[in-house]
Amino acid sequence: MSLPLTRTALLAAALPWLLLCGNAALAQSASPPAWDQLTPAQREQLIGPVRERWNSADAQERERMLEHARRWQSMTPAERAEARHGMHSWKHLPPDQREEARALYSKLRTLPDAERDALRERWKQMTPEQRRRWAAENPAPPRRGSRGP
């Protein structure tokens, strides 16, 4: 003899199938869901790594993280795309070229506009060996964290 299914039992039995279908529909949709449409588990999946990084950071690194978030929020979509491209390029630079870039950018930040433009033009004309030598003579200050220039 079978028992009639209650509404709760029916939902509990159908939930895995509904989730599977729902995930397939999300995967096929043209754009990812809005934040409010994410499940608590999906939100946790996104936030968890940031929480861990925040909790393990010192006060200076936390301030740096907040400043990056403020700058990101103020960017236009085009600026964000350019930033993503730059981050992707940075990840694929060899360590010696990263050090050269750190040295160049730290120096550029200290110069007035005209001198900054002149250094950029001079940098473009340098050979790889000249760039290595310049970076060795003009090292970047010690890094605050383990990320980016």
Side-chain angles (χ1 to χ4, degrees), residues 25-37:
L26 285 177
Q28 293 176 354
S29 66
S31 63
W35 183 261
D36 293 340
Q37 296 170 325

Side-chain angles (χ1 to χ4, degrees), residues 50 53-54 57-74:
V50 176
R53 188 164 163 231
W54 179 269
D58 62 18
Q60 186 177 17
E61 179 64 12
R62 287 179 180 182
E63 186 57 40
R64 184 172 176 242
M65 290 170 70
L66 283 174
E67 180 54 32
H68 282 194
R70 285 183 202 110
R71 280 194 322 213
W72 187 262
Q73 291 298 314
S74 69

Side-chain angles (χ1 to χ4, degrees), residues 2-66:
S2 68
L3 297 173
L5 287 176
T6 64
R7 186 178 202 180
T8 305
L10 183 60
L11 284 175
L15 186 59
W17 184 81
L18 290 171
L19 289 174
L20 181 63
C21 291
N23 286 339
L26 285 177
Q28 293 176 354
S29 66
S31 63
W35 183 261
D36 293 340
Q37 296 170 325
L38 294 175
T39 66
Q42 289 171 320
R43 290 179 188 179
E44 179 58 32
Q45 197 173 19
L46 291 167
I47 293 173
V50 176
R51 181 186 302 114
E52 290 172 21
R53 188 164 163 231
W54 179 269
N55 288 337
S56 66
D58 62 18
Q60 186 177 17
E61 179 64 12
R62 287 179 180 182
E63 186 57 40
R64 184 172 176 242
M65 290 170 70
L66 283 174

Side-chain angles (χ1 to χ4, degrees), residues 6 10 16 22 26 28-29 55 71 83 87 98-99 105 109 111 133 142 146 149:
T6 64
L10 183 60
L26 285 177
Q28 293 176 354
S29 66
N55 288 337
R71 280 194 322 213
M87 288 185 279
R98 284 186 186 195
E99 286 306 315
Y105 292 135
R109 280 192 287 260
L111 298 174
R133 196 169 42 248
S146 61

Side-chain angles (χ1 to χ4, degrees), residues 86-106:
M87 288 185 279
H88 179 75
S89 297
W90 180 261
K91 282 182 183 178
H92 293 89
L93 275 182
D96 59 325
Q97 288 183 351
R98 284 186 186 195
E99 286 306 315
E100 291 172 11
R102 283 186 187 102
L104 177 63
Y105 292 135
S106 68

